[in-house]
């Protein structure tokens, strides 16, 4: 027993159970906003501000890192909170798509780069929407219930 909280040692509080969901929500919003920033930087570059191409390329590094963090958060929600597995799978695919997108951008293959950017934005939007509508269910551990009953 924990003297401060009155809970059994090893038992998770509601706040501790919400942390992975909050992390996923924060990273999903950051990925979505950064994807929007990428599109804005690309659009401004196309209108003639050539300096923004360097910003667009540098922001690709940020987006890559954010998608990896989002995948880790989705994996935590799936494994620790017994959430659905599809957000972890989609966020893993998103990491791969961003990697391919970077390669297409560096090769200046705009015929693939622009549509793939739209697909990335769609995936990022779907993950952010899900992260804010998902309500984690309580995890029931049968072994722990038997211990508590005895």
């Amino acid at each position: 027993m924990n003297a401060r909280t009155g809970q059994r040692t090893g038992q998770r509080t509601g706040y501790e159970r919400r942390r992975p969901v909050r992390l996923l929500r924060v990273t999903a919003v950051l990925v979505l906003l950064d994807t929007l920033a990428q599109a804005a930087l690309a659009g401004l570059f196309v209108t003639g501000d050539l300096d923004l191409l360097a910003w667009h390329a540098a922001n690709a590094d940020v987006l890559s890192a954010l998608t990896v963090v989002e995948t880790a958060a989705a994996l935590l929600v799936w494994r620790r909170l017994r959430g659905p597995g599809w957000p972890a799978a989609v966020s893993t695919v998103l990491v791969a798509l961003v990697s391919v997108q970077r390669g297409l951008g560096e090769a200046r293959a705009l015929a693939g780069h622009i549509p793939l950017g739209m697909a990335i934005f769609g995936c990022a939007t779907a993950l952010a929407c899900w992260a804010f509508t998902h309500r984690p269910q309580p995890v029931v551990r049968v072994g722990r219930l038997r211990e508590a009953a005895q």
Side-chain angles (χ1 to χ4, degrees), residues 38 41-42 45 49-62 108:
Q38 276 296 81
L41 289 169
F45 162 71
D49 192 346
L50 301 179
D51 293 334
L52 290 178
L53 182 60
W55 283 78
H56 183 70
N59 195 47
D61 294 334
V62 174
R108 305 291 191 258

Side-chain angles (χ1 to χ4, degrees), residues 90-147:
V90 170
S91 60
T92 302
V93 168
L94 192 57
V95 170
L97 291 177
V98 169
S99 179
V100 170
Q101 179 75 333
R102 290 181 67 180
L104 289 172
E106 290 169 3
R108 305 291 191 258
L110 296 182
H113 187 72
I114 293 171
L116 186 55
M118 297 303 297
I120 289 170
F121 190 76
C123 286
T125 302
L127 284 168
C129 287
W130 178 82
F132 280 91
T133 58
H134 174 67
R135 298 291 175 247
Q137 300 300 317
V139 176
V140 177
R141 292 198 171 99
V142 177
R144 297 216 186 244
L145 289 177
R146 287 184 191 151
E147 289 174 9

